[in-house]
Amino acid sequence: MADYLDSDFSSINYSVLEIEQIIDVDEDSDMETFTLDIDNAPNVRFTGQLVVNAASSDNQAIGSSYNGQTGRWTELSLYKTKGGKFICHQVGRTRRQDERDRFSGKVCETLEEVKEFFGHRWLSKELYAEASIDDVVEVE
């Protein structure tokens, strides 16, 4: 095989190549149809599967997932559709009588859009770690 390759082939610097991460959806698995509530916008319905979710806790006894607010917590979910898009969903839960749960979401084409939606808080980073999504800035 080496006889067919150009002599410049061995001098290619592969470290500069950008490799896009891929979150696989198991095509053999049973996809579900989800309808997600979104405040102040149409709800989102799609066929796909849940990739990962992460949640904080309103309970101090839970430990590292305690969010510092008794009676409130956040749930983050990342889905992948049958068509290959990502669906981000965030729910702000409450046990307080004078409040109601808050729902937000976004349909994303890329993982960069996913990171723009969820941001870089500790709970978002937990979600990224579970989904094997890099959330780093490369510095030379």
Side-chain angles (χ1 to χ4, degrees):
M1 179 97 163
D3 295 334
Y4 297 105
L5 298 175
D6 186 359
S7 62
D8 292 333
F9 185 78
S10 62
S11 65
I12 296 174
N13 181 0
Y14 292 99
S15 67
V16 298
L17 295 178
E18 291 185 28
I19 300 173
E20 184 176 335
Q21 294 172 316
I22 298 173
I23 297 177
D24 290 327
V25 173
D26 184 0
E27 299 298 332
D28 296 330
S29 73
D30 294 328
M31 297 234 174
E32 296 180 52
T33 298
F34 296 92
T35 302
L36 305 178
D37 290 332
I38 308 292
D39 290 340
N40 303 314
N43 292 341
V44 177
R45 181 176 295 129
F46 61 94
T47 300
Q49 68 183 122
L50 176 65
V51 175
V52 66
N53 60 7
S56 63
S57 171
D58 69 331
N59 184 346
Q60 290 176 315
I62 296 295
S64 66
S65 68
Y66 176 59
N67 69 359
Q69 295 186 16
T70 303
R72 292 183 183 144
W73 70 99
T74 302
E75 299 171 354
L76 305 178
S77 299
L78 178 63
Y79 301 84
K80 190 157 186 187
T81 69
K82 185 176 179 180
K85 295 183 181 184
F86 298 102
I87 309 293
C88 301
H89 195 233
Q90 178 173 315
V91 182
R93 298 280 185 197
T94 184
R95 295 185 200 280
R96 298 180 181 186
Q97 289 184 346
D98 61 336
E99 296 177 344
R100 64 182 261 322
D101 292 343
R102 298 167 324 279
F103 302 89
S104 61
K106 183 178 180 183
V107 177
C108 300
E109 300 283 338
T110 67
L111 290 175
E112 288 307 312
E113 289 180 73
V114 169
K115 291 187 268 187
E116 285 174 20
F117 176 82
F118 286 127
H120 307 283
R121 300 168 302 176
W122 70 269
L123 187 57
S124 302
K125 290 182 181 227
E126 187 176 296
L127 180 124
Y128 301 148
E130 288 287 321
S132 299
I133 296 172
D134 269 345
D135 185 36
V136 298
V137 173
E138 297 282 337
V139 178
E140 287 188 35

